[in-house]
Amino acid sequence: MAELSEWNDPGLADRLAAVRGGVADACRAAGRASEDVTLIVVTKFHPAELVAALAALGVHDVGENRHQEAQDKSQALAGLDLNWHFIGQLQTKKARQAARYAHAIHSIDRERLVDALTDLERPVEAFLQINLTDDPGRGGVAPADLESLVERTLTNPSLKLRGVMAVAPLDEPPASAFERLAGYSQRVRAIAPEASAISAGMTHDYVEAIAAGATHLRIGSAITGNRPEPR
């Protein structure tokens, strides 16, 4: 691993502890065990030094939504015990490159992307992203096409289907959006019972996501602080 300068942010540990406490509280309120929820810290636009500081605080799962940035950070931090989660829209032509560092891809939303992820060096965990809006331009598979995408994913031995992923629409209460996502999760499990994971919930709505059964949270600024301008 290349030598990295020390990250100087005395508030990082406190923010991480606060979010972990909030997750534990939300799990108790939902009658769930906090150990069943994976906290993915989203570090987009932040430098590798911040990720290294998070690892020193016990973080194992980090999320990125830009391929080049994720690739560079994963290479710089190759010596650390980190699971890299790709959570952004992924171009088909970049899919195999992303699979070299990604432990999981949370944005599988079309059959062409599934097909691009064949014959990988190692299996990758796959979350099917579902579009919870009426806008076909938004990322995610349309609910009507969900079952066919499940079937296609199951034919690919390089992908381990974990479950579903979604972002709650801004114009809808998150609780109702995540309730619909839980219903889509049931449809997936009717075909693939082991694919029970739900990737949902960010800084502003993770409490509602946990109440609806989320198993993977994607939380950024509440832990990392304000993002620097993209480079």
Side-chain angles (χ1 to χ4, degrees), residues 140-215:
V141 63
D145 298 325
L146 178 58
E147 279 79 5
S148 62
L149 186 60
V150 172
E151 297 283 6
R152 188 65 155 259
T153 305
L154 291 175
T155 66
N156 186 344
S158 291
L159 296 178
K160 178 182 178 182
L161 180 58
R162 290 298 313 280
V164 297
M165 176 273 215
V167 178
L170 295 177
D171 59 353
E172 178 183 358
S176 62
F178 293 142
E179 183 179 357
R180 286 191 288 122
L181 180 60
Y184 297 139
S185 175
Q186 290 180 350
R187 285 169 51 180
V188 170
R189 284 184 281 127
I191 303 172
E194 70 284 357
S196 59
I198 299 176
S199 172
M202 298 186 290
T203 291
H204 61 284
D205 58 16
Y206 72 82
V207 172
E208 292 89 345
I210 289 172
T215 61

Side-chain angles (χ1 to χ4, degrees), residues 49-73:
E49 286 84 353
L50 179 139
V51 183
L54 288 167
L57 294 170
V59 170
H60 295 289
D61 295 271
V62 293
E64 293 286 338
N65 72 341
R66 299 195 307 172
H67 163 62
Q68 190 61 53
E69 183 178 353
Q71 181 174 257
D72 292 346
K73 287 182 188 175

Side-chain angles (χ1 to χ4, degrees), residues 209-228:
I210 289 172
T215 61
H216 292 69
L217 310 176
R218 311 180 306 273
I219 299 180
S221 58
I223 296 171
T224 61
N226 293 330
R227 299 188 185 103

Side-chain angles (χ1 to χ4, degrees), residues 2-63:
E3 188 68 27
L4 298 172
S5 60
E6 185 174 350
W7 184 251
N8 183 22
D9 181 356
L12 182 63
D14 289 341
R15 293 194 300 270
L16 176 61
V19 169
R20 283 173 166 165
V23 170
D25 290 343
C27 286
R28 278 193 294 271
R32 300 179 58 196
S34 58
E35 294 79 12
D36 295 337
V37 175
T38 298
L39 173 61
I40 301 167
V41 182
V42 180
T43 57
K44 63 181 180 180
F45 304 148
H46 288 284
E49 286 84 353
L50 179 139
V51 183
L54 288 167
L57 294 170
V59 170
H60 295 289
D61 295 271
V62 293

